[in-house]
Amino acid sequence: MSSQNEFYKQAEKYLIKCGIHVGAKHFRERMQSHPNYPSLLSLTDTLDELSIQYQAIVVDKSQFSDLSYPLLAHIAGKNGVLNDFKCVISSAEFARDPVLLENWDGISVIVKKAQSIVHTQSRKQVFNHILQKYLWSFVLLLYIGVLVY
């Protein structure tokens, strides 16, 4: 489980599992600057800001096999002591881990998979990350090619 200070990391990991890549720095800043961070509201408000479609749901625990996966599950724990979120990849995780199922309170966020991001700032960060990652590789290969030739 993640600590509450790491909630944005769990949320970002979840979005990546859904094929949604956001600018990590911008996402973290938006989440952590929210007045209700770390809460489900801080996540849903950030998703709204980024125009990412999602459902925030409350279901009976017995319905875990009927849900769409992956999902971000709210883990309440015994007597509400633990208040955390976990990226659950499939219903098999709940089936294999009875403690996870017991501590899950039925609250989850499910995003529509592989959406394109409309938010300009986040888009710029993703583009810059990809550009930096591949541009240096291209320049290095070009340099090696010139040396070999």
Side-chain angles (χ1 to χ4, degrees):
M1 299 290 166
S2 67
S3 71
Q4 286 301 310
N5 293 331
E6 305 287 319
F7 173 45
Y8 73 90
K9 288 182 181 178
Q10 279 292 323
E12 183 182 16
K13 174 185 168 185
Y14 169 65
L15 292 176
I16 290 169
K17 293 285 184 189
C18 293
I20 300 170
H21 299 276
V22 295
K25 182 180 176 187
H26 178 72
F27 185 73
R28 176 178 41 89
E29 288 171 354
R30 297 309 307 142
M31 290 275 300
Q32 289 183 325
S33 66
H34 192 281
N36 296 97
Y37 182 82
S39 71
L40 187 61
L41 183 60
S42 66
L43 173 60
T44 57
D45 283 353
T46 302
L47 295 176
D48 285 338
E49 180 182 322
L50 296 174
S51 300
I52 296 174
Q53 297 175 3
Y54 67 91
Q55 289 181 305
I57 60 170
V58 181
V59 298
D60 187 82
K61 291 181 187 188
S62 64
Q63 295 177 309
F64 75 90
S65 61
D66 299 331
L67 299 174
S68 297
Y69 289 88
L71 58 78
L72 191 64
H74 181 254
I75 310 300
K78 295 179 181 174
N79 301 322
V81 174
L82 176 66
N83 189 22
D84 207 351
F85 294 87
K86 180 174 181 359
C87 178
V88 179
I89 304 303
S90 69
S91 61
E93 274 189 71
F94 281 126
R96 282 191 310 265
D97 189 349
V99 174
L100 176 63
L101 183 59
E102 179 184 327
N103 291 335
W104 177 52
D105 59 7
I107 298 171
S108 297
V109 173
I110 301 171
V111 300
K112 182 180 174 186
K113 292 183 184 178
Q115 301 175 53
S116 66
I117 300 165
V118 177
H119 193 268
T120 307
Q121 183 68 22
S122 188
R123 232 184 197 171
K124 283 180 185 176
Q125 284 186 1
V126 170
F127 175 75
N128 287 338
H129 173 73
I130 291 169
L131 181 64
Q132 289 172 357
K133 182 177 178 180
Y134 294 107
L135 181 63
W136 287 113
S137 298
F138 176 73
V139 169
L140 182 62
L141 286 173
L142 186 62
Y143 180 73
I144 292 170
V146 169
L147 287 177
V148 171
Y149 183 70

